[in-house]
Amino acid sequence: MHTFASEITIQKGDERFSAHSILEVLSANLDCGTRIILEAIGADAHDALDRLEQLLFEFKEQEEGGRV
């Protein structure tokens, strides 16, 4: 597990949620197909967004692989 120093925010519509808090991420209610904007501010922002992109693709592949 890698920890990033950047502040990462999820924007869904007019609402913003801290990706640092699992409670805020869960309260964002991100259903499959939901459009969001990810924003990272900090020294390792690019690396943090790259890792998030990788995780989202992995989650999607797992979800699609579990369907019958």
Side-chain angles (χ1 to χ4, degrees):
M1 179 185 219
H2 189 325
T3 302
F4 294 97
S6 295
E7 179 181 337
I8 302 167
T9 305
I10 299 166
Q11 181 177 342
K12 178 183 165 191
D14 292 334
E15 297 180 284
R16 297 177 74 81
F17 305 90
S18 171
H20 183 71
S21 167
I22 188 66
L23 292 177
E24 285 198 37
V25 172
L26 291 173
S27 68
N29 196 24
L30 303 175
D31 297 322
C32 186
T34 300
R35 291 191 175 264
I36 61 170
I37 297 171
L38 294 173
E39 179 181 57
I41 299 172
D44 58 358
H46 184 74
D47 292 337
L49 288 177
D50 284 348
R51 180 62 181 133
L52 277 172
E53 179 183 26
Q54 180 184 13
L55 283 171
L56 291 171
F57 280 118
E58 289 174 13
F59 292 153
K60 182 180 178 197
E61 288 176 359
Q62 289 175 3
E63 180 72 22
E64 291 174 349
R67 293 183 184 167
V68 177

